Amino acid sequence: MQAPLSKLEPLAPATPGDVLLRGLRCRCPNCGRAKLFRSLIRIHHSCPACGMTLERGDGFYLGPLCINYGLVALCFVTPVLLIGFAEWIPVKTALALALAGTLFLPILLYRFCWSWWLMLYYLCLPDELHANRPEDSDDLSFEEERRS
């Protein structure tokens, strides 16, 4: 694994299509070369290939948490409970499935939700990507307190 660069290297501008594809593949939204995670559940602080900061600070984890919660609650638990209360399946079975889903789906979706969060963030704020910034803008450190 390559160590992050002290100064981010110049890259071709990232189009919304690039950011979308990188997000769906769980890759760095800036360069697309490196995976987002260093282990099963530990995200890299910065991209090992291009050096861009991936964890932007306190509270940034709330985005993936909201996506994960929304997917599990709206796309799994609610439909299962509605099917159970409509008596298409026994209510006890629906409750057991909903409980199992609330325990296991967030773990299974964790990595994807982080990637989707970064994808959505940079689709909405494309100028935050190093690849889309002019070379003379601040020191390209992506740290909020260091920005001018």
Side-chain angles (χ1 to χ4, degrees):
M1 180 167 61
Q2 182 181 350
L5 305 171
S6 59
K7 186 121 172 144
L8 297 173
E9 64 185 62
L11 296 168
T15 65
D18 293 336
V19 174
L20 184 67
L21 184 61
R22 292 168 185 170
L24 294 174
R25 294 178 57 220
C26 295
R27 298 287 183 165
C28 171
N30 188 51
C31 68
R33 293 183 296 204
K35 294 180 180 179
L36 294 176
F37 287 83
R38 63 178 175 215
S39 68
L40 188 61
I41 60 170
R42 301 291 314 243
I43 192 166
H44 288 288
H45 177 69
S46 59
C47 176
C50 70
M52 187 183 87
T53 301
L54 297 171
E55 286 187 299
R56 296 187 53 115
D58 294 338
F60 199 67
Y61 67 92
L62 291 175
L65 184 129
C66 291
I67 293 171
N68 204 329
Y69 178 79
L71 285 173
V72 172
L74 295 175
C75 297
F76 182 77
V77 174
T78 301
V80 166
L81 291 178
L82 289 174
I83 289 170
F85 292 129
E87 297 181 358
W88 293 350
I89 61 173
V91 174
K92 287 184 180 182
T93 304
L95 290 172
L97 283 172
L99 178 63
T102 59
L103 295 175
F104 297 112
L105 281 176
I107 296 167
L108 293 174
L109 294 173
Y110 178 77
R111 294 168 69 102
F112 298 108
C113 289
W114 256 105
S115 184
W116 297 339
W117 167 244
L118 289 172
M119 174 184 67
L120 289 172
Y121 183 84
Y122 290 114
L123 281 173
C124 293
L125 299 169
D127 292 337
E128 294 290 313
L129 282 173
H130 166 254
N132 294 344
R133 298 175 66 110
E135 297 244 357
D136 60 347
S137 66
D138 61 10
D139 64 345
L140 300 175
S141 66
F142 292 88
E143 299 296 334
E144 296 295 331
E145 63 273 0
R146 293 186 190 173
R147 285 211 168 138
S148 53

mmCIF file of all heavy atoms in Angstrom, residues 58-90:
data_model
loop_
_atom_site.group_PDB
_atom_site.id
_atom_site.type_symbol
_atom_site.label_atom_id
_atom_site.label_comp_id
_atom_site.label_asym_id
_atom_site.label_seq_id
_atom_site.Cartn_x
_atom_site.Cartn_y
_atom_site.Cartn_z
ATOM 1 N N ASP A 58 -15.459 15.395 12.597
ATOM 2 C CA ASP A 58 -16.534 14.976 13.491
ATOM 3 C C ASP A 58 -17.886 15.127 12.803
ATOM 4 O O ASP A 58 -18.179 16.130 12.181
ATOM 5 C CB ASP A 58 -16.520 15.823 14.763
ATOM 6 C CG ASP A 58 -15.267 15.589 15.587
ATOM 7 O OD1 ASP A 58 -14.662 14.516 15.414
ATOM 8 O OD2 ASP A 58 -14.914 16.466 16.386
ATOM 9 N N GLY A 59 -18.701 14.124 12.941
ATOM 10 C CA GLY A 59 -20.043 14.160 12.390
ATOM 11 C C GLY A 59 -20.159 13.695 10.957
ATOM 12 O O GLY A 59 -21.268 13.509 10.470
ATOM 13 N N PHE A 60 -19.050 13.490 10.273
ATOM 14 C CA PHE A 60 -19.125 13.072 8.872
ATOM 15 C C PHE A 60 -19.681 11.654 8.754
ATOM 16 O O PHE A 60 -20.264 11.303 7.745
ATOM 17 C CB PHE A 60 -17.748 13.167 8.210
ATOM 18 C CG PHE A 60 -17.809 13.190 6.710
ATOM 19 C CD1 PHE A 60 -18.368 14.264 6.034
ATOM 20 C CD2 PHE A 60 -17.306 12.142 5.960
ATOM 21 C CE1 PHE A 60 -18.424 14.295 4.653
ATOM 22 C CE2 PHE A 60 -17.356 12.163 4.576
ATOM 23 C CZ PHE A 60 -17.917 13.241 3.921
ATOM 24 N N TYR A 61 -19.538 10.857 9.810
ATOM 25 C CA TYR A 61 -20.056 9.494 9.815
ATOM 26 C C TYR A 61 -21.584 9.456 9.864
ATOM 27 O O TYR A 61 -22.192 8.413 9.637
ATOM 28 C CB TYR A 61 -19.501 8.705 11.001
ATOM 29 C CG TYR A 61 -20.006 9.220 12.326
ATOM 30 C CD1 TYR A 61 -21.150 8.687 12.900
ATOM 31 C CD2 TYR A 61 -19.354 10.247 12.987
ATOM 32 C CE1 TYR A 61 -21.635 9.177 14.096
ATOM 33 C CE2 TYR A 61 -19.829 10.732 14.179
ATOM 34 C CZ TYR A 61 -20.972 10.197 14.731
ATOM 35 O OH TYR A 61 -21.446 10.682 15.910
ATOM 36 N N LEU A 62 -22.229 10.582 10.167
ATOM 37 C CA LEU A 62 -23.688 10.604 10.261
ATOM 38 C C LEU A 62 -24.359 10.384 8.911
ATOM 39 O O LEU A 62 -25.466 9.869 8.848
ATOM 40 C CB LEU A 62 -24.170 11.918 10.881
ATOM 41 C CG LEU A 62 -23.833 12.089 12.353
ATOM 42 C CD1 LEU A 62 -24.238 13.476 12.829
ATOM 43 C CD2 LEU A 62 -24.479 11.019 13.197
ATOM 44 N N GLY A 63 -23.718 10.761 7.828
ATOM 45 C CA GLY A 63 -24.272 10.526 6.499
ATOM 46 C C GLY A 63 -24.468 9.045 6.220
ATOM 47 O O GLY A 63 -25.580 8.616 5.876
ATOM 48 N N PRO A 64 -23.410 8.222 6.354
ATOM 49 C CA PRO A 64 -23.589 6.789 6.123
ATOM 50 C C PRO A 64 -24.569 6.161 7.111
ATOM 51 O O PRO A 64 -25.317 5.258 6.750
ATOM 52 C CB PRO A 64 -22.197 6.190 6.297
ATOM 53 C CG PRO A 64 -21.260 7.311 6.373
ATOM 54 C CD PRO A 64 -22.016 8.576 6.537
ATOM 55 N N LEU A 65 -24.578 6.653 8.337
ATOM 56 C CA LEU A 65 -25.498 6.127 9.332
ATOM 57 C C LEU A 65 -26.947 6.367 8.903
ATOM 58 O O LEU A 65 -27.787 5.468 8.990
ATOM 59 C CB LEU A 65 -25.235 6.793 10.689
ATOM 60 C CG LEU A 65 -26.052 6.274 11.840
ATOM 61 C CD1 LEU A 65 -25.130 5.926 12.988
ATOM 62 C CD2 LEU A 65 -27.060 7.304 12.274
ATOM 63 N N CYS A 66 -27.243 7.557 8.410
ATOM 64 C CA CYS A 66 -28.607 7.878 7.953
ATOM 65 C C CYS A 66 -28.993 7.050 6.736
ATOM 66 O O CYS A 66 -30.136 6.576 6.640
ATOM 67 C CB CYS A 66 -28.719 9.359 7.641
ATOM 68 S SG CYS A 66 -28.635 10.398 9.104
ATOM 69 N N ILE A 67 -28.081 6.873 5.809
ATOM 70 C CA ILE A 67 -28.366 6.054 4.630
ATOM 71 C C ILE A 67 -28.636 4.611 5.049
ATOM 72 O O ILE A 67 -29.609 3.993 4.599
ATOM 73 C CB ILE A 67 -27.210 6.128 3.613
ATOM 74 C CG1 ILE A 67 -27.117 7.529 3.020
ATOM 75 C CG2 ILE A 67 -27.370 5.074 2.514
ATOM 76 C CD1 ILE A 67 -25.889 7.757 2.170
ATOM 77 N N ASN A 68 -27.813 4.085 5.932
ATOM 78 C CA ASN A 68 -27.960 2.714 6.409
ATOM 79 C C ASN A 68 -29.300 2.542 7.119
ATOM 80 O O ASN A 68 -30.057 1.613 6.834
ATOM 81 C CB ASN A 68 -26.804 2.366 7.349
ATOM 82 C CG ASN A 68 -26.533 0.887 7.421
ATOM 83 O OD1 ASN A 68 -27.417 0.071 7.281
ATOM 84 N ND2 ASN A 68 -25.281 0.549 7.665
ATOM 85 N N TYR A 69 -29.614 3.451 8.026
ATOM 86 C CA TYR A 69 -30.873 3.379 8.764
ATOM 87 C C TYR A 69 -32.061 3.472 7.810
ATOM 88 O O TYR A 69 -33.020 2.700 7.923
ATOM 89 C CB TYR A 69 -30.943 4.501 9.802
ATOM 90 C CG TYR A 69 -32.241 4.523 10.567
ATOM 91 C CD1 TYR A 69 -32.447 3.638 11.617
ATOM 92 C CD2 TYR A 69 -33.257 5.405 10.222
ATOM 93 C CE1 TYR A 69 -33.643 3.635 12.311
ATOM 94 C CE2 TYR A 69 -34.454 5.404 10.904
ATOM 95 C CZ TYR A 69 -34.636 4.528 11.952
ATOM 96 O OH TYR A 69 -35.822 4.523 12.624
ATOM 97 N N GLY A 70 -32.002 4.399 6.869
ATOM 98 C CA GLY A 70 -33.094 4.559 5.922
ATOM 99 C C GLY A 70 -33.317 3.319 5.075
ATOM 100 O O GLY A 70 -34.465 2.902 4.857
ATOM 101 N N LEU A 71 -32.232 2.737 4.585
ATOM 102 C CA LEU A 71 -32.370 1.527 3.774
ATOM 103 C C LEU A 71 -32.989 0.381 4.563
ATOM 104 O O LEU A 71 -33.908 -0.287 4.089
ATOM 105 C CB LEU A 71 -31.006 1.090 3.226
ATOM 106 C CG LEU A 71 -30.449 1.903 2.080
ATOM 107 C CD1 LEU A 71 -29.029 1.459 1.754
ATOM 108 C CD2 LEU A 71 -31.332 1.751 0.850
ATOM 109 N N VAL A 72 -32.494 0.174 5.777
ATOM 110 C CA VAL A 72 -32.996 -0.940 6.579
ATOM 111 C C VAL A 72 -34.446 -0.690 7.006
ATOM 112 O O VAL A 72 -35.308 -1.561 6.855
ATOM 113 C CB VAL A 72 -32.092 -1.187 7.809
ATOM 114 C CG1 VAL A 72 -32.709 -2.197 8.753
ATOM 115 C CG2 VAL A 72 -30.718 -1.659 7.362
ATOM 116 N N ALA A 73 -34.735 0.509 7.512
ATOM 117 C CA ALA A 73 -36.077 0.791 8.023
ATOM 118 C C ALA A 73 -37.113 0.875 6.909
ATOM 119 O O ALA A 73 -38.194 0.286 7.019
ATOM 120 C CB ALA A 73 -36.061 2.089 8.822
ATOM 121 N N LEU A 74 -36.796 1.604 5.844
ATOM 122 C CA LEU A 74 -37.793 1.834 4.802
ATOM 123 C C LEU A 74 -37.872 0.722 3.761
ATOM 124 O O LEU A 74 -38.940 0.457 3.217
ATOM 125 C CB LEU A 74 -37.524 3.163 4.106
ATOM 126 C CG LEU A 74 -37.671 4.397 4.985
ATOM 127 C CD1 LEU A 74 -37.267 5.640 4.226
ATOM 128 C CD2 LEU A 74 -39.072 4.518 5.528
ATOM 129 N N CYS A 75 -36.750 0.101 3.478
ATOM 130 C CA CYS A 75 -36.734 -0.879 2.391
ATOM 131 C C CYS A 75 -36.837 -2.328 2.868
ATOM 132 O O CYS A 75 -37.039 -3.223 2.047
ATOM 133 C CB CYS A 75 -35.469 -0.716 1.558
ATOM 134 S SG CYS A 75 -35.372 0.879 0.749
ATOM 135 N N PHE A 76 -36.670 -2.557 4.169
ATOM 136 C CA PHE A 76 -36.771 -3.938 4.641
ATOM 137 C C PHE A 76 -37.781 -4.096 5.774
ATOM 138 O O PHE A 76 -38.754 -4.832 5.649
ATOM 139 C CB PHE A 76 -35.402 -4.475 5.072
ATOM 140 C CG PHE A 76 -35.466 -5.916 5.512
ATOM 141 C CD1 PHE A 76 -35.551 -6.928 4.569
ATOM 142 C CD2 PHE A 76 -35.489 -6.263 6.852
ATOM 143 C CE1 PHE A 76 -35.653 -8.254 4.959
ATOM 144 C CE2 PHE A 76 -35.584 -7.580 7.247
ATOM 145 C CZ PHE A 76 -35.660 -8.586 6.299
ATOM 146 N N VAL A 77 -37.562 -3.412 6.881
ATOM 147 C CA VAL A 77 -38.395 -3.617 8.063
ATOM 148 C C VAL A 77 -39.851 -3.243 7.792
ATOM 149 O O VAL A 77 -40.763 -4.020 8.097
ATOM 150 C CB VAL A 77 -37.833 -2.846 9.277
ATOM 151 C CG1 VAL A 77 -38.774 -2.927 10.463
ATOM 152 C CG2 VAL A 77 -36.463 -3.399 9.658
ATOM 153 N N THR A 78 -40.083 -2.069 7.233
ATOM 154 C CA THR A 78 -41.460 -1.631 6.978
ATOM 155 C C THR A 78 -42.204 -2.583 6.049
ATOM 156 O O THR A 78 -43.321 -3.013 6.382
ATOM 157 C CB THR A 78 -41.470 -0.190 6.424
ATOM 158 O OG1 THR A 78 -40.840 0.666 7.383
ATOM 159 C CG2 THR A 78 -42.874 0.289 6.158
ATOM 160 N N PRO A 79 -41.643 -2.960 4.891
ATOM 161 C CA PRO A 79 -42.361 -3.907 4.036
ATOM 162 C C PRO A 79 -42.622 -5.265 4.707
ATOM 163 O O PRO A 79 -43.705 -5.832 4.564
ATOM 164 C CB PRO A 79 -41.464 -4.076 2.810
ATOM 165 C CG PRO A 79 -40.628 -2.857 2.780
ATOM 166 C CD PRO A 79 -40.443 -2.453 4.209
ATOM 167 N N VAL A 80 -41.644 -5.767 5.468
ATOM 168 C CA VAL A 80 -41.832 -7.059 6.136
ATOM 169 C C VAL A 80 -42.958 -6.963 7.158
ATOM 170 O O VAL A 80 -43.814 -7.857 7.246
ATOM 171 C CB VAL A 80 -40.508 -7.535 6.799
ATOM 172 C CG1 VAL A 80 -40.750 -8.678 7.769
ATOM 173 C CG2 VAL A 80 -39.519 -7.956 5.732
ATOM 174 N N LEU A 81 -42.974 -5.883 7.936
ATOM 175 C CA LEU A 81 -44.044 -5.727 8.924
ATOM 176 C C LEU A 81 -45.405 -5.541 8.259
ATOM 177 O O LEU A 81 -46.413 -6.084 8.724
ATOM 178 C CB LEU A 81 -43.739 -4.563 9.856
ATOM 179 C CG LEU A 81 -42.558 -4.774 10.804
ATOM 180 C CD1 LEU A 81 -42.322 -3.535 11.653
ATOM 181 C CD2 LEU A 81 -42.767 -6.002 11.687
ATOM 182 N N LEU A 82 -45.462 -4.789 7.171
ATOM 183 C CA LEU A 82 -46.728 -4.623 6.453
ATOM 184 C C LEU A 82 -47.233 -5.952 5.895
ATOM 185 O O LEU A 82 -48.432 -6.249 5.945
ATOM 186 C CB LEU A 82 -46.576 -3.596 5.334
ATOM 187 C CG LEU A 82 -46.428 -2.143 5.784
ATOM 188 C CD1 LEU A 82 -46.144 -1.241 4.592
ATOM 189 C CD2 LEU A 82 -47.668 -1.683 6.535
ATOM 190 N N ILE A 83 -46.334 -6.759 5.373
ATOM 191 C CA ILE A 83 -46.708 -8.083 4.867
ATOM 192 C C ILE A 83 -47.224 -8.957 6.009
ATOM 193 O O ILE A 83 -48.209 -9.696 5.852
ATOM 194 C CB ILE A 83 -45.515 -8.741 4.140
ATOM 195 C CG1 ILE A 83 -45.251 -8.023 2.819
ATOM 196 C CG2 ILE A 83 -45.749 -10.220 3.909
ATOM 197 C CD1 ILE A 83 -43.956 -8.430 2.141
ATOM 198 N N GLY A 84 -46.586 -8.840 7.166
ATOM 199 C CA GLY A 84 -47.038 -9.610 8.329
ATOM 200 C C GLY A 84 -48.390 -9.154 8.830
ATOM 201 O O GLY A 84 -49.273 -9.977 9.115
ATOM 202 N N PHE A 85 -48.582 -7.850 8.940
ATOM 203 C CA PHE A 85 -49.861 -7.337 9.440
ATOM 204 C C PHE A 85 -50.983 -7.498 8.412
ATOM 205 O O PHE A 85 -52.162 -7.507 8.773
ATOM 206 C CB PHE A 85 -49.730 -5.892 9.893
ATOM 207 C CG PHE A 85 -48.876 -5.747 11.124
ATOM 208 C CD1 PHE A 85 -47.834 -4.844 11.164
ATOM 209 C CD2 PHE A 85 -49.102 -6.540 12.246
ATOM 210 C CE1 PHE A 85 -47.034 -4.712 12.287
ATOM 211 C CE2 PHE A 85 -48.309 -6.428 13.377
ATOM 212 C CZ PHE A 85 -47.272 -5.511 13.400
ATOM 213 N N ALA A 86 -50.647 -7.631 7.148
ATOM 214 C CA ALA A 86 -51.643 -7.942 6.116
ATOM 215 C C ALA A 86 -51.967 -9.433 6.113
ATOM 216 O O ALA A 86 -52.803 -9.888 5.337
ATOM 217 C CB ALA A 86 -51.138 -7.507 4.747
ATOM 218 N N GLU A 87 -51.285 -10.183 6.954
ATOM 219 C CA GLU A 87 -51.467 -11.624 7.148
ATOM 220 C C GLU A 87 -51.112 -12.450 5.920
ATOM 221 O O GLU A 87 -51.666 -13.514 5.694
ATOM 222 C CB GLU A 87 -52.889 -11.917 7.646
ATOM 223 C CG GLU A 87 -53.161 -11.290 8.993
ATOM 224 C CD GLU A 87 -54.558 -11.583 9.516
ATOM 225 O OE1 GLU A 87 -55.349 -12.257 8.812
ATOM 226 O OE2 GLU A 87 -54.844 -11.150 10.639
ATOM 227 N N TRP A 88 -50.158 -11.953 5.123
ATOM 228 C CA TRP A 88 -49.634 -12.753 4.026
ATOM 229 C C TRP A 88 -48.635 -13.769 4.572
ATOM 230 O O TRP A 88 -48.422 -14.813 3.963
ATOM 231 C CB TRP A 88 -48.979 -11.882 2.971
ATOM 232 C CG TRP A 88 -49.947 -11.001 2.237
ATOM 233 C CD1 TRP A 88 -51.310 -11.044 2.297
ATOM 234 C CD2 TRP A 88 -49.628 -9.956 1.338
ATOM 235 N NE1 TRP A 88 -51.849 -10.088 1.499
ATOM 236 C CE2 TRP A 88 -50.841 -9.392 0.882
ATOM 237 C CE3 TRP A 88 -48.449 -9.422 0.867
ATOM 238 C CZ2 TRP A 88 -50.896 -8.343 -0.011
ATOM 239 C CZ3 TRP A 88 -48.494 -8.373 -0.027
ATOM 240 C CH2 TRP A 88 -49.717 -7.840 -0.469
ATOM 241 N N ILE A 89 -47.984 -13.401 5.653
ATOM 242 C CA ILE A 89 -47.143 -14.324 6.416
ATOM 243 C C ILE A 89 -47.539 -14.146 7.881
ATOM 244 O O ILE A 89 -48.113 -13.114 8.252
ATOM 245 C CB ILE A 89 -45.622 -14.059 6.223
ATOM 246 C CG1 ILE A 89 -45.233 -12.660 6.697
ATOM 247 C CG2 ILE A 89 -45.198 -14.300 4.787
ATOM 248 C CD1 ILE A 89 -43.730 -12.413 6.689
ATOM 249 N N PRO A 90 -47.265 -15.137 8.742
ATOM 250 C CA PRO A 90 -47.623 -14.980 10.155
ATOM 251 C C PRO A 90 -46.906 -13.768 10.779
ATOM 252 O O PRO A 90 -45.750 -13.461 10.441
ATOM 253 C CB PRO A 90 -47.137 -16.285 10.795
ATOM 254 C CG PRO A 90 -47.042 -17.263 9.661
ATOM 255 C CD PRO A 90 -46.733 -16.453 8.445
#
